[in-house]
Amino acid sequence: VSPQTSPILPCPSPPTNQGAAGSEMLDQAKALRMEAETLYRKRDVNAELLEKELLLARKTARDDALKAERRVKEVQKEVEQLKYDLCLAAQRAQREGAVA
């Protein structure tokens, strides 16, 4: 008569302090997630600020270009007026030279 053998059951793992370590890891994961979310929001805010700064720079450049254009036109008018005045002065000098 052979003794009845029962299947060998695996032994449970020895108790560890894994519960505390797992909780600590969970806390670290939550902290990292919160930090990532904060950085993501900051990135969005920074991108928005950079976009506004770019728009302002473009507007300023456009305004400066328009001012420069207006100034060029003013100077061109001044040059034309000076040419006209010089021509009149030359004609007057010729007439006065011819009379003298």
Side-chain angles (χ1 to χ4, degrees), residues 23-73:
S23 173
E24 187 178 311
M25 287 179 64
L26 185 60
D27 290 345
Q28 285 179 338
K30 286 180 184 177
L32 287 173
R33 181 172 156 206
M34 288 173 52
E35 186 178 344
E37 288 173 354
T38 300
L39 290 173
Y40 184 78
R41 282 191 295 272
K42 284 182 180 178
R43 184 202 63 169
D44 283 350
V45 168
N46 286 341
E48 188 176 317
L49 290 174
L50 287 173
E51 192 173 302
K52 287 179 181 180
E53 188 176 336
L54 180 61
L55 289 174
L56 182 61
R58 285 181 180 158
K59 183 184 181 305
T60 302
R62 229 182 358 257
D63 291 348
D64 289 349
L66 289 173
K67 286 179 189 175
E69 249 181 66
R70 283 193 293 270
R71 182 64 185 138
V72 165
K73 288 179 182 178

Side-chain angles (χ1 to χ4, degrees), residues 3-17:
Q4 282 189 333
T5 59
S6 62
I8 301 175
L9 297 173
C11 293
S13 321
T16 62
N17 203 3

